[in-house]
Amino acid sequence: MGDEAHASQSDNDETSANTMKILFLSSDTGGGHRASAESLAKQFQLLWPGQVEYVLHDMVTNEGTPPYSSLVRFYKHLSANPSQWKLVYEVSNSRAFEMLADAHLKLMCERAVRRRIMDIAPDVVISVHPLMCNVPVMSCAKISQKTGKHLPMFTVVTDLGSAHCLWFANGVEKMFVGSQQVWDLAQARGKVPDEKLVMSGLPIRHDFAVQAEALGDRMSEQGKAYQAKVRQELELPRFDKPTLLVMGGGEGVGSLSKIVDALYVELVDQGIDALILVVCGRNEKLKDDLERRDWESVLEKGRKKRDQRVATSSTCVSTVPPTGCMDGTVTNSIRKILSNSSLHMDNPLSAPALQAEESPPAQEETALPPEKPTPAPEEPAPEEPAPEEPTPEEPTPEEPTPEEPTPEPAPEEQAPESAPAHLANTEGASFSEEKKELDFEAVSMEPQLPLVTQTPVSLDVPQPSFERCNGEVTVTGLGFVTRMAEYMVAADILVSKAGPGTISEAAAVSLPVMLTSFLPGQEEGNVDYVVDGGFGAYVSDKDPIGIAEELTLWLRDPVKLGLLSKAAKAKGAPHAARDIARFIGDSTLKWKEINEERSKENAEEVENISSSDSSQ
């Protein structure tokens, strides 16, 4: 990749004292690095209109040596093969490799990098890529020493939940990070002091800041009205439906087709009207296929797959403990669903009073040992039989005691038939300790799963048929989207891979996120960032039915959706790019003034020396 030079347009060609020339160091290993650089450049131009010129340069490809110079070429292959990516990432993220790469890059590339920086002659250098930190820091220091003018350098870390060790070159002016996780890594791995770290959030496109300001609180009446307005401006097929935005990266990567099919089937069968927007990116084949897809056939096949899944899981659960019946797909799906909205009162497995608690018959109340009846309120004082009968052995229900044959008090004292048995049992204060233990076992919440397995599904028994109330679901394929901020405002849920930029953009407009894939190592921490932050969940794209089921629960639970949106807004930093640009720009202009003063002083000193020599 060659230099990409950009200059702000101004009304005159005269250079101002406030003009800045910015060098961004980036690489096309994923779209996030370039997007961050361009977002920052946009903010520089907005803050200092007509006074900014910037260059986007890939020093790893142009001035690097193998294997680094081939990284862009290998990126697509590695990202499509997660196991290989994981191996490369884990090996390169070790302390041994860090020391080796640092020495190797400085020895083989530093001179070429230094010459290139001097040719560009920037006022400031900003790195948005981990492989362009250590060497440029050394080059900038040497240039400053040689020219007598300080050349500041800054690092903007573009990862969220985890970060490669090569990010943390300690010689920069400031290091901007997007999360506490990366802050901690910078201190642990790079020994970066607190005074050099700035918690800023990730720089994202200016459009998201504009849309975040206009949207406000997504769940408020004002927010909903603005969302409806944006939907109309985007000319969506329907404005009044819950909308899901499904995407898999700029190339349309991922199991988008299967996820969309599963969503369609689940939403239709659950009777939820919805609009599914699919960002196909450059995948024109997927976009055309969605337009021609036979959705009735998808519905029929999807129902069969789901029924087979339910039957298989039910049969399995009825015979062995749940963890013994999970294949890799199910285990992977459950791994990160820590914010599962199904843990609510409407879920029979999580309700406090289960149906099985009513199984003990009401007669057990009257069959209690006769020496233990609760005396009626009218006659508490005359009789006190309890001290006379503390015998350890209690008669069984089949052995009625001859002393009290009359059961008159029993009907009054008995709990109503509709009340659960454990509530009636706990009303008597004179029950024996043994009986209390039995009662607490009956109401224990631990054996919930076996209660469900008492009636396993049998494939031989015909199941009752119910009339379906089908939802009206529309699927629309989108190409390469340039108005992503508006589409995220229009959506109610985002379904995406765990890219840090995408997550930050969603949080900026308070959009709940369902993550379906991640690059091992590099993006795995982003999953934790979303789940621990409380604004999304993770279900593997290998389990599209699981994704659809979870999202259906979200759509059925407005309270849950509101909490997810609120948590997303708390994590959002829509103005991060502006804040970073302002800080760097102000610092750069100050250094320019200092450098100019030093130049004048040096020039005067040289002139004085020359004049003194001539006078002699």
Side-chain angles (χ1 to χ4, degrees), residues 255 258 309 323 325-337 516 538-547:
S255 306
K258 293 180 180 179
R309 166 192 169 108
T323 54
C325 184
M326 295 183 181
D327 61 12
T329 301
V330 178
T331 306
N332 196 23
S333 301
I334 293 176
R335 176 177 168 271
K336 290 291 181 183
I337 307 184
T516 61
Y538 168 79
V539 181
S540 171
D541 57 4
K542 296 179 181 178
D543 184 17
I545 296 178
I547 295 171

Side-chain angles (χ1 to χ4, degrees), residues 375-397:
E378 298 83 19
E379 37 186 353
E383 307 179 336
E384 294 189 25
E388 300 176 3
E389 301 187 70
T391 57
E393 49 198 6
E394 300 183 40
T396 60

Side-chain angles (χ1 to χ4, degrees), residues 9 21 25 70 80 143 168 254 271 273 280 284 422 470 497 544 578 604 607:
Q9 296 181 354
K21 189 172 185 180
L25 302 180
S70 303
I143 292 171
F168 307 122
D273 297 341
C280 303
E284 291 294 335
H422 69 276
N470 291 344
K497 67 187 288 290
R578 180 199 63 190
E604 290 175 0
E607 185 178 350

Side-chain angles (χ1 to χ4, degrees), residues 14 34 64 90 130 146 184 197 203 246 356 403 418 424 519 522 543:
E14 297 180 5
R34 173 183 285 267
E90 290 182 349
K146 181 179 180 179
D184 295 339
L197 290 170
V246 185
E403 290 128 3
S418 58
L519 285 175
Q522 180 178 354
D543 184 17

Side-chain angles (χ1 to χ4, degrees), residues 7 10 32 78 114 143 159 163 168-169 184 219 240 274 280 303 364 366 398 459 511 545 555 568 575 582 592:
S10 58
L78 290 173
R114 193 191 334 156
I143 292 171
D159 284 318
F168 307 122
D184 295 339
M219 306 308 293
D240 55 346
C280 303
R303 286 168 175 168
E364 292 187 6
T366 59
E398 290 81 8
L459 299 180
L511 181 63
I545 296 178
L555 292 175
H575 298 290
R582 178 179 285 128
K592 283 194 69 176

Side-chain angles (χ1 to χ4, degrees), residues 22 34 89 104 109 114 117 161 178 192 222 231 234-235 239 253 326 359 424 427 437 459 494 572:
I22 304 167
R34 173 183 285 267
Y89 187 88
H104 180 245
C109 308
R114 193 191 334 156
I117 294 176
V192 182
Q222 179 184 353
R231 288 176 176 178
L234 293 173
E235 298 182 352
F239 310 141
V253 182
M326 295 183 181
S359 56
E427 288 177 1
E437 291 177 5
L459 299 180
L494 173 67

